[in-house]
Amino acid sequence: MKYLWLSLVIAVIQVTYSQGPPFTEDCRNDMYPPKPETKVPTYVVNLDADPKDRWKEVVTDKTEEFKYMLTVVKNLTGSFFQGSLIDFIDKNFPSIVSGLPAPYGDEIIGIAAATGIPLGEVVLYNVFYELFTLCTSIIGEDPNGKLYHARNLDFGLFLGWDIGNDTWWMSEALRPLVVNIDYQRGGKTVYQAVHFTGYVGILTGIKPHVFTVTMNERFNIDGGYIGFIEWVLGKRDAKWVGFITRDAMESCNSYSEAMDLLANHKVLAPAYFILGGNQSGEGAVITRDRNKAVDVWHMNDTGHPWFILETNYDHWKAPLFLDDRRTPATKCMNKLTQQNVGIAGIFNVLNTKPMLNKLTTYTAVMQVNSGHLETYLRYCPTPCWPF
Ligand SMILES: *[C@@H]1O[C@H](CO)[C@@H](O)[C@H](O)[C@H]1NC(C)=O
Ligand SMILES: *[C@@H]1O[C@H](CO)[C@@H](O)[C@H](O)[C@H]1NC(C)=O
Ligand SMILES: *[C@@H]1O[C@H](CO)[C@@H](O)[C@H](O)[C@H]1NC(C)=O
Ligand SMILES: *[C@@H]1O[C@H](CO)[C@@H](O)[C@H](O)[C@H]1NC(C)=O
């Protein structure tokens, strides 16, 4: 199904851009700080509380936005499956929840209870990030050996073009759901992450003083839906991609422990994990198939030992030329120079088109030693790729 989407997208993009490449611009140096109203709010999730209760405050605040987003999903899927898909999900997905590892199953049950949204739909929502994200992640090291890890999360490719607004429905519906979560135990921060409210896995996370991680989707023939089907049918030894990163936050106490878990444990879907440690040189892109890492690429091995970046293509292969965010991002990092690595510098690189595009929902920047995370909603008015 993903490949059907993808080939349609490519066909449309080819026609649209037969006159020239997707919209790009000179490297920006003036995007930071962004408008204060684009900064996302932070909520505390108390890990000492019952998993069924710990998301209550956040999801209660965002129930309307959550419901709206699910309406968009239903409209989009409904137009392809005449509504039968959602009926199927409402009927069959609730049973999936009991097979999820602790604490995720109970957290999802709690979220459904607090919002009144059918359990099957909350489960669906916790699945589909494994399928539709396009992103750019960068780790940069400043001249003092301090690491900055940042990412754009681009979501919603082809999920409903709004002709009147020149926007993608899904990306629009997701932005109001973005929150920073401060996970605490005993009143102290254990780790922090950026979430779409209602999704309990981690796509962007920081364990202060220890490591940072981001997940980018990897397209592969042996795709996530196969892993998901196997999982539904009872083969449960693989971890969900969004859950393995949160497991890493919970249980790994060093860069090398996180590396080991993220590189070696079976996962449901192919993915890239971009992992940063707490000292000079500790940055890597782990390219995963479902069984294991097919490649671990270290920062010192990139040809530019002070940064490493990943979009949605294997680093040893050329990116899809219509979606080449790697070349402009590399160019802008080189133009930035190591001297200027920092929150503002990397934010500017990520907010240059086409790294910034109409699907970009947020930019997050993390600094591991200070435990700093800041996240901003991002918009890209026309003209801006895609469309
Ligand atoms: C969903 O579709 C209905 C009927 O076509 C429409 O009235 C409604 O505005 C749509 N809602 C969203 C959120 O797209
Ligand atoms: C489109 O724009 C209108 C007017 O700005 C706004 O009210 C509406 O919510 C937008 N629709 C979507 C799906 O974002
Ligand atoms: C980096 O992580 C290691 C392993 O957890 C820890 O021993 C060390 O103190 C950390 N260094 C800094 C600068 O936080
Ligand atoms: C790069 O770093 C990795 C791990 O930190 C190490 O195993 C490898 O030998 C290094 N490679 C080079 C070329 O220095």
Side-chain angles (χ1 to χ4, degrees):
M1 161 100 162
K2 196 160 58 173
Y3 291 93
L4 178 65
W5 286 117
L6 203 62
S7 42
L8 277 166
V9 172
I10 291 165
V12 173
I13 292 173
Q14 269 169 344
V15 172
T16 312
Y17 289 104
S18 53
Q19 309 301 315
F23 194 90
T24 52
E25 63 183 355
D26 289 340
C27 302
R28 301 293 295 246
N29 57 17
D30 56 352
M31 298 297 276
Y32 192 90
K35 292 200 182 99
E37 61 268 27
T38 63
K39 193 162 190 167
V40 314
T42 299
Y43 288 84
V44 170
V45 163
N46 179 4
L47 295 167
D48 297 320
D50 186 321
K52 286 186 176 146
D53 297 329
R54 56 173 73 137
W55 289 96
K56 205 170 188 169
E57 187 198 351
V58 199
V59 299
T60 306
D61 272 13
K62 297 274 183 189
T63 297
E64 285 317 305
E65 291 86 346
F66 197 3
K67 286 188 171 154
Y68 176 77
M69 190 274 310
L70 286 168
T71 313
V72 172
V73 173
K74 280 187 208 173
N75 273 13
L76 291 169
T77 55
S79 58
F80 279 92
F81 300 96
Q82 280 87 41
S84 55
L85 183 66
I86 292 291
D87 292 343
F88 176 84
I89 284 163
D90 282 345
K91 243 209 326 278
N92 296 289
F93 273 37
S95 60
I96 290 176
V97 90
S98 58
L100 289 174
Y104 308 117
D106 280 347
E107 289 186 5
I108 289 171
I109 289 170
I111 289 166
T115 54
I117 293 168
L119 181 56
E121 292 173 29
V122 183
V123 172
L124 168 70
Y125 178 70
N126 274 275
V127 174
F128 73 17
Y129 289 95
E130 316 237 337
L131 305 180
F132 280 113
T133 37
L134 285 171
C135 322
T136 307
S137 292
I138 300 178
I139 301 175
E141 179 171 325
D142 78 5
N144 302 317
K146 262 174 94 175
L147 296 171
Y148 292 83
H149 187 165
R151 74 112 91 246
N152 276 1
L153 198 137
D154 305 345
F155 190 93
L157 184 58
F158 220 52
L159 293 177
W161 176 246
D162 184 331
I163 292 173
N165 291 23
D166 268 9
T167 52
W168 292 90
W169 283 336
M170 269 311 286
S171 314
E172 294 302 299
L174 281 168
R175 273 193 204 95
L177 291 170
V178 179
V179 290
N180 286 342
I181 298 294
D182 183 358
Y183 288 89
Q184 298 190 352
R185 221 174 244 121
K188 288 214 180 82
T189 299
V190 190
Y191 50 96
Q192 286 176 272
V194 187
H195 282 259
F196 293 108
T197 304
Y199 177 68
V200 302
I202 288 183
L203 306 174
T204 306
I206 173 168
K207 186 155 182 169
H209 309 292
V210 189
F211 65 89
T212 51
V213 67
T214 55
M215 192 280 275
N216 288 12
E217 173 163 9
R218 178 172 184 238
F219 299 104
N220 192 293
I221 302 293
D222 187 11
Y225 54 97
I226 298 175
F228 179 65
I229 290 165
E230 283 185 1
W231 189 91
V232 170
L233 296 176
K235 193 165 174 285
R236 304 257 156 101
D237 54 339
K239 283 184 192 279
W240 293 45
V241 170
F243 296 165
I244 194 173
T245 44
R246 196 168 147 196
D247 288 352
M249 291 283 154
E250 277 287 334
S251 64
C252 299
N253 289 309
S254 67
Y255 177 68
S256 58
E257 281 177 35
M259 176 73 77
D260 186 44
L261 178 66
L262 296 174
N264 297 321
H265 201 290
K266 280 188 186 178
V267 288
L268 243 54
Y272 302 101
F273 295 116
I274 299 86
L275 180 67
N278 65 9
Q279 48 206 307
S280 173
E282 289 186 341
V285 173
I286 303 165
T287 301
R288 284 298 313 254
D289 68 14
R290 294 195 289 125
N291 283 320
K292 59 174 190 334
V294 293
D295 182 80
V296 178
W297 193 37
H298 296 279
M299 198 151 77
N300 61 1
D301 225 16
T302 57
H304 34 68
W306 55 278
F307 75 91
I308 186 165
L309 67 86
E310 174 58 39
T311 61
N312 301 92
Y313 304 94
D314 295 347
H315 70 82
W316 60 94
K317 291 184 189 154
L320 188 66
F321 92 96
L322 290 160
D323 177 33
D324 184 4
R325 287 161 285 130
R326 182 201 293 166
T327 307
T330 305
K331 186 185 103 189
C332 290
M333 284 302 286
N334 281 318
K335 203 164 171 202
L336 179 71
T337 73
Q338 183 172 20
Q339 215 60 36
N340 293 312
V341 166
I343 289 175
I346 297 190
F347 186 91
N348 282 329
V349 172
L350 285 173
N351 281 272
T352 299
K353 297 171 193 174
M355 283 68 82
L356 175 71
N357 57 68
K358 281 195 186 290
L359 303 172
T360 307
T361 52
Y362 69 77
T363 301
V365 193
M366 306 180 277
Q367 207 294 309
V368 67
N369 308 101
S370 57
H372 184 74
L373 162 67
E374 58 185 84
T375 311
Y376 299 93
L377 301 182
R378 299 286 77 205
Y379 305 85
C380 194
T382 306
C384 183
W385 183 85
F387 309 109

